[in-house]
């Protein structure tokens, strides 16, 4: 087998591994939910971003706007393009894929091969021995509802990998 074919095979296996772990995280953590939990607080903010006349003078929306503002704009942008439900579903899939990809990067920095990443990913997805549980309402691997913490946890894993590699500026940026 040529070097080029070997690299392509490894890249394909890596991509399949990352997507498989992302899928397992979604499956073992309640699937993807639209319209429940924090979405009740987030969606009015998104609707106000898209339409400034949506519930004018609602103090609750104004207050929630400052909580996870960047994430609200992200959801609003995707909602404007794809519709609310589709945007939330797509963001959930993207968030879990980013989390899985960041876990892969951390595993590579720790010199774990693809098999090691799959094992760690399975531990995290299935919450084996309490892995994946957080100190708050949102788990490390996320909830059925897409939350900003899913993206934050992916960035945390990337920051940790860069800290181990002594890339302090990038770590500071990710922080």
């Amino acid at each position: 087998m040529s070097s080029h074919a070997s690299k392509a095979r490894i890249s394909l296996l890596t991509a399949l591994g990352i997507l498989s772990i992302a899928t397992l995280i979604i499956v073992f953590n309640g699937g993807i939910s639209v319209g429940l939990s924090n979405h009740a607080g987030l969606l009015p903010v998104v609707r106000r971003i898209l339409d400034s006349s949506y519930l004018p003078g609602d103090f609750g929306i104004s207050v929630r706007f400052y909580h996870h503002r960047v994430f609200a704009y992200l959801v609003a942008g995707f909602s404007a393009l794809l519709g609310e439900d589709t945007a939330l579903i797509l963001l959930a899939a993207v968030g879990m894929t980013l989390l899985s990809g960041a876990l892969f990067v951390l595993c590579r920095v720790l010199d774990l091969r693809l098999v090691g990443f799959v094992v760690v990913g399975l531990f995290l997805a299935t919450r084996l021995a309490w892995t994946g549980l957080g100190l708050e309402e949102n788990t490390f691997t996320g909830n059925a509802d897409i939350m900003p913490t899913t993206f934050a946890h992916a960035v945390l894993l990337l920051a940790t990998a860069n800290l181990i590699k002594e890339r302090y500026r990038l770590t500071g940026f990710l922080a």
Side-chain angles (χ1 to χ4, degrees), residues 15-84:
L16 286 173
I18 290 170
L19 290 174
S20 296
I21 293 301
T23 301
L24 290 174
I25 290 172
I26 291 169
V27 168
F28 288 124
N29 289 282
I32 296 175
S33 177
V34 174
L36 301 172
S37 189
N38 260 356
H39 292 164
L42 175 67
L43 291 182
V45 174
V46 168
R47 291 173 185 154
R48 167 81 60 85
I49 291 170
L50 295 173
D51 178 10
S52 61
S53 66
Y54 179 77
L55 296 176
D58 186 307
F59 181 71
I61 292 175
S62 299
V63 170
R64 284 191 301 268
F65 176 70
Y66 292 100
H67 186 69
H68 302 304
R69 179 191 304 222
V70 173
F71 185 69
Y73 276 114
L74 180 67
V75 173
F78 275 82
S79 294
L81 294 172
L82 305 169
E84 214 169 74

Side-chain angles (χ1 to χ4, degrees), residues 93-108:
V94 167
M96 294 306 173
T97 304
L98 286 175
L99 184 66
S100 178
L103 180 64
F104 175 79
V105 169
L106 180 60
C107 287
R108 291 301 303 146

Side-chain angles (χ1 to χ4, degrees), residues 17 20-22 24-25 28-29 100 103 107 114-127 131 141:
S20 296
I21 293 301
L24 290 174
I25 290 172
F28 288 124
N29 289 282
S100 178
L103 180 64
C107 287
L114 184 60
V115 173
F117 159 69
V118 170
V119 169
V120 171
L122 284 171
F123 283 1
L124 199 63
T126 60
R127 300 178 187 180
T131 59
T141 52

Side-chain angles (χ1 to χ4, degrees), residues 143-156:
N143 298 338
D145 294 332
I146 185 60
M147 307 282 186
T149 52
T150 303
F151 294 94
H153 293 158
V155 172
L156 174 70

